[in-house]
Amino acid sequence: MAKKVRSVRVPRELDELDLSALVGECEKHLRDLESAGLLLAQGNRDAADALVKARRADLGRRVGTLVWEARLRRQEKARAGREPKEVARE
């Protein structure tokens, strides 16, 4: 029997993740899977396999880019918070 997970720690970088863009990428991937299913039903197995393989790599790259952008936004916010405020010298 599988263990139940009580809590999961999520990196702070993922607070900045654009969830609507992530869902959009998943929608595109699902559409491509449906297209692959149609190709398979038509008897074109090689084309279906090629489409699934190409789109899987594409989805991974795009999700990775979204996570990278979220990390950059988090770092920019952290830098903006750490920058010392200029003191007016008279």
Side-chain angles (χ1 to χ4, degrees), residues 44-72:
N44 200 346
R45 183 176 185 83
D46 293 335
D49 290 342
L51 179 62
V52 169
K53 188 181 279 188
R55 295 304 183 218
R56 186 180 304 140
D58 189 43
L59 177 67
R61 187 178 69 247
R62 289 178 187 222
V63 169
T65 300
L66 290 173
V67 171
W68 179 258
E69 289 170 353
R71 182 172 180 245
L72 291 178

Short mmCIF file of all heavy atoms in Angstrom, two decimals, residues 44-72:
data_model
loop_
_atom_site.label_atom_id
_atom_site.label_comp_id
_atom_site.label_asym_id
_atom_site.label_seq_id
_atom_site.Cartn_x
_atom_site.Cartn_y
_atom_site.Cartn_z
N ASN A 44 -1.82 5.32 -39.18
CA ASN A 44 -0.52 5.95 -39.39
C ASN A 44 0.24 5.98 -38.07
O ASN A 44 0.43 7.03 -37.46
CB ASN A 44 -0.72 7.35 -39.97
CG ASN A 44 0.52 7.87 -40.64
OD1 ASN A 44 1.59 7.32 -40.46
ND2 ASN A 44 0.35 8.93 -41.41
N ARG A 45 0.69 4.83 -37.63
CA ARG A 45 1.33 4.69 -36.32
C ARG A 45 2.65 5.45 -36.24
O ARG A 45 2.95 6.05 -35.20
CB ARG A 45 1.55 3.22 -36.01
CG ARG A 45 2.13 2.98 -34.64
CD ARG A 45 2.25 1.49 -34.34
NE ARG A 45 2.69 1.26 -33.01
CZ ARG A 45 1.92 1.25 -31.93
NH1 ARG A 45 0.64 1.47 -32.06
NH2 ARG A 45 2.42 1.02 -30.74
N ASP A 46 3.44 5.43 -37.28
CA ASP A 46 4.74 6.12 -37.26
C ASP A 46 4.58 7.61 -37.06
O ASP A 46 5.31 8.23 -36.28
CB ASP A 46 5.51 5.85 -38.56
CG ASP A 46 5.92 4.39 -38.69
OD1 ASP A 46 6.05 3.73 -37.64
OD2 ASP A 46 6.11 3.93 -39.82
N ALA A 47 3.61 8.20 -37.77
CA ALA A 47 3.37 9.65 -37.63
C ALA A 47 2.86 9.97 -36.22
O ALA A 47 3.26 10.98 -35.63
CB ALA A 47 2.37 10.13 -38.67
N ALA A 48 2.01 9.11 -35.67
CA ALA A 48 1.48 9.33 -34.32
C ALA A 48 2.61 9.28 -33.30
O ALA A 48 2.69 10.13 -32.41
CB ALA A 48 0.40 8.30 -33.99
N ASP A 49 3.48 8.28 -33.43
CA ASP A 49 4.61 8.15 -32.50
C ASP A 49 5.55 9.35 -32.60
O ASP A 49 6.02 9.87 -31.58
CB ASP A 49 5.39 6.87 -32.76
CG ASP A 49 4.61 5.63 -32.36
OD1 ASP A 49 3.65 5.76 -31.57
OD2 ASP A 49 4.97 4.52 -32.82
N ALA A 50 5.81 9.79 -33.83
CA ALA A 50 6.70 10.94 -34.03
C ALA A 50 6.10 12.21 -33.42
O ALA A 50 6.81 13.00 -32.80
CB ALA A 50 6.97 11.15 -35.52
N LEU A 51 4.79 12.39 -33.59
CA LEU A 51 4.12 13.57 -33.03
C LEU A 51 4.18 13.57 -31.51
O LEU A 51 4.52 14.59 -30.90
CB LEU A 51 2.67 13.63 -33.50
CG LEU A 51 1.82 14.79 -32.98
CD1 LEU A 51 2.40 16.13 -33.44
CD2 LEU A 51 0.38 14.65 -33.44
N VAL A 52 3.90 12.44 -30.91
CA VAL A 52 3.93 12.35 -29.44
C VAL A 52 5.33 12.59 -28.92
O VAL A 52 5.52 13.33 -27.95
CB VAL A 52 3.39 10.97 -28.97
CG1 VAL A 52 3.67 10.76 -27.49
CG2 VAL A 52 1.90 10.87 -29.24
N LYS A 53 6.32 12.01 -29.56
CA LYS A 53 7.71 12.17 -29.11
C LYS A 53 8.16 13.63 -29.21
O LYS A 53 8.76 14.17 -28.29
CB LYS A 53 8.64 11.28 -29.94
CG LYS A 53 10.06 11.25 -29.43
CD LYS A 53 10.94 10.39 -30.30
CE LYS A 53 10.74 8.93 -29.93
NZ LYS A 53 11.71 8.06 -30.63
N ALA A 54 7.82 14.28 -30.33
CA ALA A 54 8.22 15.67 -30.52
C ALA A 54 7.51 16.59 -29.54
O ALA A 54 8.11 17.50 -28.97
CB ALA A 54 7.92 16.11 -31.95
N ARG A 55 6.24 16.37 -29.34
CA ARG A 55 5.47 17.25 -28.46
C ARG A 55 5.82 17.04 -26.99
O ARG A 55 5.74 17.97 -26.20
CB ARG A 55 3.97 17.05 -28.66
CG ARG A 55 3.51 17.44 -30.02
CD ARG A 55 3.90 18.87 -30.32
NE ARG A 55 3.40 19.27 -31.61
CZ ARG A 55 4.04 20.05 -32.47
NH1 ARG A 55 5.22 20.51 -32.15
NH2 ARG A 55 3.51 20.37 -33.61
N ARG A 56 6.22 15.85 -26.61
CA ARG A 56 6.63 15.60 -25.22
C ARG A 56 7.87 16.43 -24.89
O ARG A 56 7.95 17.08 -23.85
CB ARG A 56 6.91 14.13 -25.01
CG ARG A 56 7.20 13.79 -23.56
CD ARG A 56 7.48 12.33 -23.36
NE ARG A 56 6.39 11.51 -23.86
CZ ARG A 56 6.56 10.35 -24.50
NH1 ARG A 56 7.78 9.90 -24.74
NH2 ARG A 56 5.54 9.66 -24.91
N ALA A 57 8.82 16.43 -25.80
CA ALA A 57 10.04 17.22 -25.59
C ALA A 57 9.72 18.71 -25.59
O ALA A 57 10.26 19.47 -24.79
CB ALA A 57 11.06 16.90 -26.68
N ASP A 58 8.81 19.10 -26.47
CA ASP A 58 8.41 20.50 -26.57
C ASP A 58 7.72 20.96 -25.28
O ASP A 58 8.00 22.04 -24.77
CB ASP A 58 7.48 20.69 -27.77
CG ASP A 58 7.21 22.14 -28.06
OD1 ASP A 58 8.16 22.95 -28.02
OD2 ASP A 58 6.04 22.48 -28.34
N LEU A 59 6.84 20.12 -24.74
CA LEU A 59 6.15 20.47 -23.49
C LEU A 59 7.14 20.62 -22.35
O LEU A 59 7.07 21.58 -21.58
CB LEU A 59 5.10 19.42 -23.14
CG LEU A 59 4.36 19.63 -21.82
CD1 LEU A 59 3.48 20.88 -21.90
CD2 LEU A 59 3.53 18.43 -21.45
N GLY A 60 8.08 19.71 -22.26
CA GLY A 60 9.09 19.80 -21.20
C GLY A 60 9.91 21.07 -21.29
O GLY A 60 10.18 21.72 -20.28
N ARG A 61 10.28 21.44 -22.51
CA ARG A 61 11.07 22.67 -22.70
C ARG A 61 10.24 23.89 -22.32
O ARG A 61 10.73 24.81 -21.65
CB ARG A 61 11.55 22.76 -24.14
CG ARG A 61 12.51 23.89 -24.39
CD ARG A 61 13.01 23.94 -25.81
NE ARG A 61 11.96 24.32 -26.73
CZ ARG A 61 11.42 23.55 -27.68
NH1 ARG A 61 11.87 22.32 -27.83
NH2 ARG A 61 10.47 23.97 -28.45
N ARG A 62 8.97 23.93 -22.72
CA ARG A 62 8.13 25.09 -22.43
C ARG A 62 7.82 25.23 -20.95
O ARG A 62 7.83 26.33 -20.40
CB ARG A 62 6.85 25.03 -23.25
CG ARG A 62 7.10 25.27 -24.71
CD ARG A 62 5.84 25.16 -25.51
NE ARG A 62 6.15 25.24 -26.92
CZ ARG A 62 5.45 25.94 -27.78
NH1 ARG A 62 4.38 26.59 -27.39
NH2 ARG A 62 5.79 25.97 -29.04
N VAL A 63 7.56 24.12 -20.28
CA VAL A 63 7.32 24.17 -18.83
C VAL A 63 8.59 24.58 -18.11
O VAL A 63 8.56 25.39 -17.18
CB VAL A 63 6.78 22.82 -18.31
CG1 VAL A 63 6.77 22.78 -16.80
CG2 VAL A 63 5.38 22.57 -18.85
N GLY A 64 9.71 24.07 -18.57
CA GLY A 64 10.99 24.48 -18.00
C GLY A 64 11.23 25.96 -18.14
O GLY A 64 11.74 26.63 -17.23
N THR A 65 10.85 26.52 -19.29
CA THR A 65 10.99 27.96 -19.51
C THR A 65 10.10 28.74 -18.56
O THR A 65 10.52 29.77 -18.01
CB THR A 65 10.63 28.31 -20.97
OG1 THR A 65 11.53 27.60 -21.84
CG2 THR A 65 10.76 29.80 -21.23
N LEU A 66 8.87 28.27 -18.34
CA LEU A 66 7.96 28.95 -17.40
C LEU A 66 8.53 28.95 -15.98
O LEU A 66 8.46 29.96 -15.27
CB LEU A 66 6.58 28.29 -17.42
CG LEU A 66 5.74 28.50 -18.68
CD1 LEU A 66 4.48 27.65 -18.60
CD2 LEU A 66 5.39 29.96 -18.85
N VAL A 67 9.10 27.82 -15.58
CA VAL A 67 9.70 27.74 -14.24
C VAL A 67 10.92 28.65 -14.16
O VAL A 67 11.13 29.34 -13.16
CB VAL A 67 10.06 26.27 -13.90
CG1 VAL A 67 10.87 26.19 -12.62
CG2 VAL A 67 8.80 25.44 -13.79
N TRP A 68 11.73 28.68 -15.21
CA TRP A 68 12.91 29.55 -15.24
C TRP A 68 12.49 31.01 -15.12
O TRP A 68 13.09 31.78 -14.36
CB TRP A 68 13.69 29.31 -16.52
CG TRP A 68 14.90 30.17 -16.65
CD1 TRP A 68 15.05 31.29 -17.41
CD2 TRP A 68 16.14 30.02 -15.96
NE1 TRP A 68 16.30 31.82 -17.26
CE2 TRP A 68 16.99 31.06 -16.37
CE3 TRP A 68 16.61 29.08 -15.05
CZ2 TRP A 68 18.28 31.19 -15.90
CZ3 TRP A 68 17.90 29.23 -14.59
CH2 TRP A 68 18.72 30.26 -15.01
N GLU A 69 11.45 31.41 -15.86
CA GLU A 69 10.98 32.80 -15.80
C GLU A 69 10.46 33.13 -14.40
O GLU A 69 10.69 34.23 -13.89
CB GLU A 69 9.89 33.03 -16.84
CG GLU A 69 10.42 33.04 -18.26
CD GLU A 69 9.33 33.03 -19.30
OE1 GLU A 69 8.14 32.88 -18.94
OE2 GLU A 69 9.66 33.19 -20.49
N ALA A 70 9.77 32.19 -13.77
CA ALA A 70 9.28 32.41 -12.41
C ALA A 70 10.46 32.60 -11.45
O ALA A 70 10.42 33.47 -10.57
CB ALA A 70 8.43 31.23 -11.96
N ARG A 71 11.51 31.82 -11.64
CA ARG A 71 12.70 31.94 -10.80
C ARG A 71 13.34 33.31 -10.98
O ARG A 71 13.77 33.94 -10.00
CB ARG A 71 13.68 30.84 -11.16
CG ARG A 71 14.92 30.85 -10.33
CD ARG A 71 15.76 29.62 -10.62
NE ARG A 71 16.94 29.64 -9.81
CZ ARG A 71 18.17 29.75 -10.30
NH1 ARG A 71 18.37 29.79 -11.60
NH2 ARG A 71 19.20 29.78 -9.49
N LEU A 72 13.42 33.77 -12.22
CA LEU A 72 14.01 35.09 -12.48
C LEU A 72 13.18 36.20 -11.83
O LEU A 72 13.73 37.14 -11.25
CB LEU A 72 14.14 35.34 -13.97
CG LEU A 72 15.17 34.49 -14.70
CD1 LEU A 72 15.15 34.81 -16.20
CD2 LEU A 72 16.55 34.70 -14.13
#
